[in-house]
C-alpha cells in the first residue's frame, strides 16, 4: 500500500514496478530470506538491463531477429525457473524489455532506453523502501526467532539419528546412506535460512552461533551414518569394531546436544 501511495504521489508512469518489486520480495515471508531475495533481485535486474541494452542496440538495426531472440529467451526462461532467483529475474527483465521493444518497432525515439532507466529506478525504489521498513520497523527480532526455531527442529532430527547410532543392537529399517540422504533433505530449508542469516541479522548473535554449530554437528552425524553404511561391507570382526566406535562417538554427540549452555563443537569433538 505504501509503495502504491508513493507511485501515486509521484505520478510515475512506471511506478507500478515499485509495488511489483515489493510484492515479489516479500514472497518467502521470512525476515532473512526476503533480504537475500532483495539483494538477488537488484543484482539480477542490473544484469538483465545490461543484457537488454546490448540487445536493444543490436535489434535497433536488426529488428527482424526479434522473433528469434524471443524464442531463445522462452527456452532460457524455462531453465532459469529452476535456478537461483537472481538468474530468473535477470531473464525476466530481458524478456520484459524485449516485449517493450517489439511494441515500439520501428524505433523512432529514445523511448526504449528510457523504459530501461525507469524500470531500474522503480525496482531500486521498491527494494530501498522494503529494506528501510525491514530495518527500522521490524528489526532483527523476527529473523532471530525464525533461525532459532529452525535450529531446534534440526537438532531434534539429528537427535533421532544419534539415538539409532548409539544403539549397538539396532536393526535399521533403512541403511545408513539412506538415512544420511533423508537428513540432508530435511536440512535443506535450514541451510537456505542459515546462508541468508548474515543478511537478515546484520551481525553475529547467539542464535547464529548455535545454528552454525548445529550445522557442523549435522555434517558429523551424516559422516557417521555413511561410516555405518560402509561398515556393513566389512568382515564381521571389523564390522563390530567400527560399529562400536561409531556408537561411542554417537553417545558423545548426544551428550553435546543435551548441554545447551556449552559449545556443541567442544563437547562433541571426535
Amino acid at each position: 500500500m505504501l509503495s502504491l501511495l508513493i507511485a501515486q504521489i509521484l505520478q510515475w508512469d512506471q511506478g507500478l514496478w515499485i509495488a511489483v518489486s515489493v510484492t515479489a520480495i516479500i514472497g518467502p515471508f521470512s525476515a532473512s530470506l526476503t533480504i537475500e531475495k532483495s539483494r538477488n533481485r537488484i543484482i539480477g535486474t542490473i544484469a538483465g538491463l545490461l543484457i537488454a541494452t546490448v540487445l536493444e542496440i543490436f535489434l535497433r538495426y536488426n529488428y527482424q531477429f526479434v522473433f528469434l531472440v524471443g524464442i531463445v529467451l522462452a527456452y532460457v526462461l524455462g531453465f532459469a525457473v529452476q535456478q537461483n532467483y537472481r538468474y530468473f529475474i535477470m531473464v525476466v527483465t530481458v524478456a520484459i524489455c524485449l516485449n517493450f521493444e517489439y511494441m515500439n518497432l520501428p524505433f523512432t525515439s529514445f523511448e526504449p532506453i528510457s523504459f530501461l532507466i525507469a524500470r531500474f529506478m522503480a525496482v531500486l525504489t521498491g527494494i530501498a523502501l522494503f529494506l528501510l521498513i525491514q530495518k527500522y520497523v521490524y528489526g532483527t527480532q523476527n529473523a532471530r526467532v525464525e533461525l532459532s526455531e529452525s535450529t531446534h527442529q534440526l537438532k531434534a532430527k539429528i537427535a533421532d539419528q544419534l539415538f539409532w547410532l548409539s544403539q549397538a543392537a539396532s536393526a535399521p529399517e533403512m541403511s545408513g546412506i539412506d538415512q544420511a540422504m533423508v537428513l540432508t533433505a530435511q536440512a535443506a530449508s535450514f541451510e537456505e535460512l542459515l546462508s541468508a542469516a548474515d543478511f537478515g541479522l546484520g551481525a553475529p548473535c547467539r542464535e547464529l552461533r548455535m545454528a552454525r554449530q548445529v550445522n557442523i554437528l549435522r555434517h558429523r552425524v551424516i559422516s557417521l551414518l555413511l561410516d555405518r553404511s560402509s561398515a556393513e561391507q566389512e568382515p564381521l570382526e571389523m564390522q563390530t569394531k567400527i560399529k562400536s566406535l561409531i556408537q561411542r562417538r554417537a553417545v558423545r554427540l548426544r551428550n553435546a546436544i543435551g548441554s545447551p549452555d556449552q559449545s556443541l563443537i567442544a563437547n562433541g569433538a571426535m
Side-chain angles (χ1 to χ4, degrees), residues 1 5 12-14 16 27 50 59 68 78 121 123 137 154 161 164 173-174 177 182-183 186 206 211 214 239-240:
M1 291 177 63
L5 177 62
W12 195 355
D13 290 341
Q14 304 298 331
L16 181 62
L50 291 175
L59 294 174
L68 179 61
M121 293 176 61
V123 170
V137 177
L154 182 59
Q161 299 295 340
W164 171 70
E173 297 180 358
M174 297 188 298
I177 190 170
V182 170
L183 182 58
Q186 291 173 337
R206 182 176 61 84
V214 169
Q239 281 190 37
T240 303

Side-chain angles (χ1 to χ4, degrees), residues 2 5 47 67 80 85 89 96 102 107 112 125 136-137 144-145 165 183 211 213 215 222 239 245 247 255:
L2 183 58
L5 177 62
F67 182 73
Y85 179 72
I89 199 63
I96 291 174
Y102 182 79
F107 299 110
T125 301
Y136 295 106
V137 177
R144 295 174 64 179
V145 171
L165 286 170
L183 182 58
Q213 289 183 3
N215 197 42
I222 289 177
Q239 281 190 37
L245 178 61
Q247 180 187 7
N255 293 337

Side-chain angles (χ1 to χ4, degrees), residues 2-3 10 107 110 115 139 153 159 210 220 227 229:
L2 183 58
S3 62
L10 296 177
F107 299 110
F110 186 68
F115 174 79
Q153 291 173 2
M210 178 60 71
R220 291 185 173 180
D227 289 343
S229 182

Side-chain angles (χ1 to χ4, degrees), residues 54-113:
V54 173
L55 289 175
E56 278 192 2
I57 296 173
F58 172 76
L59 294 174
R60 180 177 292 270
Y61 303 103
N62 303 276
Y63 57 84
Q64 65 271 19
F65 289 102
V66 169
F67 182 73
L68 179 61
V69 173
I71 293 177
V72 173
L73 275 176
Y75 281 99
V76 174
L77 182 61
F79 174 76
V81 169
Q82 306 298 326
Q83 307 305 312
N84 188 286
Y85 179 72
R86 72 179 64 177
Y87 302 118
F88 171 72
I89 199 63
M90 178 183 69
V91 179
V92 168
T93 299
V94 175
I96 291 174
C97 293
L98 287 188
N99 180 64
F100 188 83
E101 297 286 327
Y102 182 79
M103 292 188 297
N104 284 273
L105 290 176
F107 299 110
T108 57
S109 68
F110 186 68
E111 188 64 24
I113 299 298

Side-chain angles (χ1 to χ4, degrees), residues 98-192:
L98 287 188
N99 180 64
F100 188 83
E101 297 286 327
Y102 182 79
M103 292 188 297
N104 284 273
L105 290 176
F107 299 110
T108 57
S109 68
F110 186 68
E111 188 64 24
I113 299 298
S114 65
F115 174 79
L116 298 184
I117 296 173
R119 175 173 169 80
F120 173 73
M121 293 176 61
V123 170
L124 188 62
T125 301
I127 292 175
L129 176 64
F130 164 79
L131 292 177
L132 286 173
I133 293 176
Q134 176 65 41
K135 181 175 179 62
Y136 295 106
V137 177
Y138 293 109
T140 62
Q141 181 60 29
N142 288 339
R144 295 174 64 179
V145 171
E146 181 181 32
L147 183 60
S148 178
E149 291 177 348
S150 182
T151 300
H152 282 86
Q153 291 173 2
L154 182 59
K155 281 178 62 177
K157 295 171 183 176
I158 290 175
D160 291 340
Q161 299 295 340
L162 288 175
F163 176 77
W164 171 70
L165 286 170
S166 64
Q167 304 302 306
S170 58
E173 297 180 358
M174 297 188 298
S175 66
I177 190 170
D178 289 334
Q179 295 192 63
M181 293 175 64
V182 170
L183 182 58
T184 300
Q186 291 173 337
S189 59
F190 170 80
E191 283 192 297
E192 184 181 12

